[in-house]
Amino acid sequence: MAGSAGMAALAQDVRGALSSQKLDHVWMDTHYVGLQFPDPAHPNTLHWVGEAGKLGEPLPLEDHDVYCPYSATGNATGELVYAHYGRPEDLQDLRARGVEPAGRLLLVRLGEISFAQKVASAQDFGARGVLIYPDPADFSQDPHKLGLSSHRAVYGHVHLGTGDPYTPGFPSFNQTQFPPVQSSGLPNIPAQPISADIASLLLRKLQGPVAPQEWQGRLPGSPYRLGPGPGLHLGVNNHRVSTPISNIFGCIEGRSEPDHYVVIGAQRDAWGPGAAKSAVGTAILLELARTFSSMVSNGFQPRRSLLFISWDGGDFGSVGSTEWLEGYLSVLHLKAVVYVSLDNAVLGDDKFHAKTSPLLISLIENILKQVDSPNRSGQTLYEQVVFNNHSWDAEVIRPLAMDSSAYSFTAFAGVPAVEFSFLEDGQAYPFLHTKDDTYENLHRVLRGRLPAVAQAVAQLAGQLLIRLSHDHLLPLDFGRYGDVVLRHIGSLNEFSGDLKARGLTLQWVYSARGDYIRAAEKLRKEIYSSEESDERLMRMYNVRIMRVEFYFLSQYVSPADSPFRHIFLGRGDHTLGALLDHVRLLRSGGSEDPGAASSGVAPGLGFQESRFRRQLALLTWTLQGAANALSGDVWNIDNNF
């Protein structure tokens, strides 16, 4: 775990492994970050509450080490309500069925959204606390497959953000130089993981309406009811500790563009054994460093530098990677070409997903055609995924999620990123974030196929690194964002009548998208008709291409207040998601759905024309700025804005 003696030894081992590889540079940097740990002297507690509000008998929290880092501390008392996965739509549904979440403790299932999102939506709906448990229905029902023991609880942090929440937007090199601020993503209500056994005890005591069929789980003593049930008292006594964490770096310098970096990283720490969570990724990272080092010894010359990074503090919300980005933001958006994450790489072997920036989709398609499927002999990975779904990208491509280190690279720093994962079909790997995430269990879940699947990930990542570090022209598909904008505008389009009635128009967004597509097409033609041997020209094109993602960071918000400035992926009032949530208020009679906080905006006062005009103007100008930047020099910009 981050900050432990075991981690200090592991950090030295990883640094030693990189140092033995004849890399050009190996170094380490240390950050002092605020991490939250359970207090062994005052463990977290759960009690029944009697009629007169007196504390009744305790419910045994079977494993005092399992907790939710960054939960609010203190006590919460209220009647218990079952709220399915705790998504905004679940809580809305609960309210519609006459069961009020406000003022209550919520019992929610693991899955669908992150722990942090569950606690944030509970808080938005006025709940006092959250208990999170693993329901057997969310894991494989196959008796031949391994399952999670019913007395295991699952760990998960609840900071709706990444990095050290006590220095948002700043690097934690030395906390004394920064004002004492807190991330807006820290919850104000306590949260605690519990086992399926404890959840079963609680569910049996619930009264009220029977939960809808799709909310029913597989704990004994069904049917599940919505509640309310008897009173409960949750006490959370976690404490914050200033903890040193260390990121470890190894670099192979590029030959002609050494100041442009292709970055590949893996989380090194884990709560529990962390075989799937961090060990697989770390093993692949070290193997790729070894392989590229030996390729260079045999004459391979990358044009751009390769940066191999082992991150610390990942299980607290990508703390190590975000702190590094915050520390070097002014440099990285000019130098980092792409980030490849090796986290969560092997969680099964049935399905393959790539969470990625749109800029990398075409390159991923090409590479899938070059890597053999680990489960179907004689087939490439591409052939395996189109076998199930003729649209390969619908089968494979997913948006970057906040619980991946790749998210901060794109949403915060404007660097395109990708994270590859092999997964089980339909059911999640049951041991993630538990004490059972061991090498033996991962090996058994994969029926002995762990080496083959890990090798496929290493080959995918390796091919990607070769193309990104070696191609004269960066293989990033800058035209792809035109389709992304069109898809988002399509969602806005259905409200054009409502907007027109108020004298508002979406014409400028269309105009900016048109300029972006024309600029992308013009650049493509320019590149096509130029000489690849012209180094100066290639470098100019590469600089324009590698900054495309950065152009989608809103220049109109401060990274300290809204760290995730990306208009498509980020969180806050500057995003397209926030604009859509706002426009929907025109239809819902003006009352804002607390669930609108999904885009990172506090629930407000209904539709406000002045706010809408501001959102639309800033969003349009961010898009227009991207089009202008892609056009190149100011004398080449031909929009009539």
Side-chain angles (χ1 to χ4, degrees):
M1 195 167 192
S4 67
M7 173 50 80
L10 179 61
Q12 290 308 325
D13 287 351
V14 170
R15 186 176 187 170
L18 288 174
S19 297
S20 68
Q21 294 307 340
K22 300 206 284 283
L23 303 175
D24 293 315
H25 311 281
V26 175
W27 73 100
M28 200 160 170
D29 75 12
T30 300
H31 299 262
Y32 287 82
V33 295
L35 303 183
Q36 213 190 44
F37 296 99
D39 183 348
H42 303 96
N44 298 343
T45 57
L46 190 60
H47 287 83
W48 294 111
V49 173
E51 292 296 314
K54 282 247 171 71
L55 285 196
E57 61 180 287
L59 281 135
L61 292 174
E62 292 153 308
D63 195 339
H64 288 299
D65 300 342
V66 191
Y67 71 114
C68 288
Y70 304 125
S71 159
T73 52
N75 303 312
T77 305
E79 296 172 317
L80 187 69
V81 164
Y82 170 58
H84 200 210
Y85 292 112
R87 298 169 295 197
E89 58 267 34
D90 294 328
L91 300 179
Q92 204 70 47
D93 200 358
L94 202 56
R95 197 170 263 173
R97 291 170 190 274
V99 180
E100 179 51 57
R104 304 256 167 74
L105 293 188
L106 303 189
L107 177 65
V108 303
R109 275 156 72 161
L110 190 76
E112 297 293 328
I113 56 174
S114 69
F115 277 42
Q117 288 167 308
K118 293 175 195 292
V119 176
S121 50
Q123 182 175 305
D124 288 339
F125 277 81
R128 288 187 183 165
V130 185
L131 300 170
I132 303 170
Y133 79 97
D135 198 293
D138 296 314
F139 300 103
S140 175
Q141 302 310 310
D142 183 342
H144 303 296
K145 286 196 172 178
L146 290 178
L148 188 64
S149 152
S150 62
H151 58 264
R152 276 277 188 246
V154 179
Y155 163 98
H157 79 87
V158 293
H159 170 218
L160 192 61
T162 64
D164 178 354
Y166 306 109
T167 59
F170 303 106
S172 304
F173 284 121
N174 173 2
Q175 287 175 335
T176 54
Q177 60 191 303
F178 296 121
V181 284
Q182 285 199 355
S183 160
S184 58
L186 280 175
N188 301 324
I189 59 173
Q192 175 68 24
I194 59 171
S195 67
D197 285 347
I198 300 292
S200 189
L201 285 175
L202 298 175
L203 278 162
R204 282 184 209 143
K205 299 270 189 182
L206 291 184
Q207 289 135 12
V210 172
Q213 187 52 46
E214 60 275 17
W215 288 33
Q216 294 295 331
R218 286 183 188 263
L219 288 176
S222 53
Y224 291 19
R225 292 183 174 275
L226 298 176
L232 274 178
H233 177 274
L234 170 64
V236 171
N237 302 308
N238 307 335
H239 63 303
R240 171 179 157 189
V241 180
S242 180
T243 309
I245 61 167
S246 299
N247 298 323
I248 302 162
F249 304 81
C251 171
I252 294 173
E253 274 195 46
R255 180 176 45 96
S256 35
E257 298 178 39
D259 56 334
H260 290 164
Y261 319 141
V262 178
V263 187
I264 182 156
Q267 169 179 331
R268 186 176 70 250
D269 66 297
W271 182 92
K277 184 65 197 169
S278 62
V280 168
T282 301
I284 295 172
L285 178 77
L286 294 176
E287 192 61 8
L288 284 166
R290 184 190 67 77
T291 306
F292 274 91
S293 167
S294 110
M295 283 163 62
V296 168
S297 301
N298 291 320
F300 173 72
Q301 291 189 314
R303 293 177 62 80
R304 299 170 198 92
S305 297
L306 285 162
L307 208 50
F308 301 91
I309 311 182
S310 170
W311 304 117
D312 199 353
D315 259 3
F316 290 83
S318 306
V319 175
S321 53
T322 304
E323 294 308 312
W324 185 68
L325 286 171
E326 287 173 345
Y328 301 103
L329 183 63
S330 55
V331 175
L332 285 171
H333 81 269
L334 303 172
K335 300 197 173 209
V337 177
V338 163
Y339 175 66
V340 181
S341 162
L342 296 170
D343 298 337
N344 307 307
V346 183
L347 302 174
D349 69 345
D350 298 324
K351 278 188 315 197
F352 172 73
H353 284 171
K355 296 174 181 167
T356 183
S357 154
L359 293 173
L360 287 159
I361 293 175
S362 301
L363 179 58
I364 291 167
E365 179 179 9
N366 287 334
I367 286 168
L368 288 180
K369 293 174 180 173
Q370 296 169 16
V371 174
D372 291 336
S373 160
N375 6 358
R376 300 208 181 144
S377 64
Q379 275 194 350
T380 63
L381 255 176
Y382 183 81
E383 286 164 340
Q384 178 191 320
V385 298
V386 292
F387 184 80
N388 301 329
N389 186 340
H390 293 304
S391 164
W392 81 273
D393 47 353
E395 180 72 17
V396 169
I397 301 300
R398 298 288 181 275
L400 287 164
M402 197 187 275
D403 53 7
S404 155
S405 62
Y407 179 83
S408 292
F409 271 85
T410 304
F412 172 73
V415 175
V418 60
E419 178 173 290
F420 298 122
S421 299
F422 281 93
L423 308 145
E424 286 295 280
D425 207 4
Q427 303 293 345
Y429 170 69
F431 306 118
L432 208 59
H433 291 132
T434 72
K435 289 185 175 174
D436 296 325
D437 182 14
T438 60
Y439 173 76
E440 292 72 24
N441 276 341
L442 182 60
H443 206 60
R444 282 161 67 197
V445 164
L446 285 158
R447 303 173 298 286
R449 303 183 39 68
L450 177 56
V453 183
Q455 184 179 1
V457 175
Q459 287 174 345
L460 276 163
Q463 293 284 2
L464 201 68
L465 295 186
I466 289 173
R467 291 287 312 275
L468 289 164
S469 67
H470 193 260
D471 283 13
H472 275 254
L473 191 74
L474 279 172
L476 298 178
D477 184 359
F478 48 86
R480 182 73 73 149
Y481 262 115
D483 305 338
V484 174
V485 178
L486 188 61
R487 201 169 62 243
H488 284 288
I489 291 179
S491 315
L492 275 173
N493 224 352
E494 59 177 286
F495 299 97
S496 56
D498 306 74
L499 293 169
K500 207 171 185 177
R502 290 171 170 259
L504 299 165
T505 173
L506 297 170
Q507 177 199 336
W508 294 113
V509 187
Y510 283 109
S511 166
R513 175 191 174 259
D515 284 342
Y516 182 85
I517 287 176
R518 281 189 293 278
E521 195 47 45
K522 190 171 152 207
L523 179 57
R524 192 174 275 125
K525 282 180 179 158
E526 249 180 76
I527 290 168
Y528 186 73
S529 59
S530 62
E531 288 292 325
E532 200 178 69
S533 57
D534 186 334
E535 289 282 338
R536 180 178 158 275
L537 200 55
M538 286 298 125
R539 186 179 168 87
M540 275 171 56
Y541 289 146
N542 282 336
V543 165
R544 265 154 78 182
I545 293 168
M546 68 182 268
R547 293 189 190 165
V548 166
E549 197 80 67
F550 181 76
Y551 302 148
F552 291 111
L553 298 187
S554 175
Q555 305 300 306
Y556 306 103
V557 289
S558 147
D561 301 327
S562 298
F564 304 123
R565 292 181 293 153
H566 201 288
I567 60 172
F568 301 119
L569 258 188
R571 292 179 54 76
D573 217 33
H574 58 284
T575 61
L576 235 162
L579 182 71
L580 260 170
D581 284 339
H582 193 179
V583 169
R584 286 191 186 108
L585 299 181
L586 288 169
R587 299 271 172 92
S588 63
S591 67
E592 187 150 353
D593 165 9
S598 63
S599 51
V601 185
L605 315 155
F607 186 83
Q608 298 160 285
E609 192 174 309
S610 59
R611 177 184 154 207
F612 175 79
R613 283 178 181 276
R614 179 180 163 78
Q615 279 179 304
L616 191 61
L618 298 189
L619 198 74
T620 305
W621 197 245
T622 302
L623 195 54
Q624 186 65 46
N628 292 351
L630 203 58
S631 294
D633 295 305
V634 285
W635 51 86
N636 289 328
I637 298 171
D638 61 352
N639 59 52
N640 303 306
F641 208 68

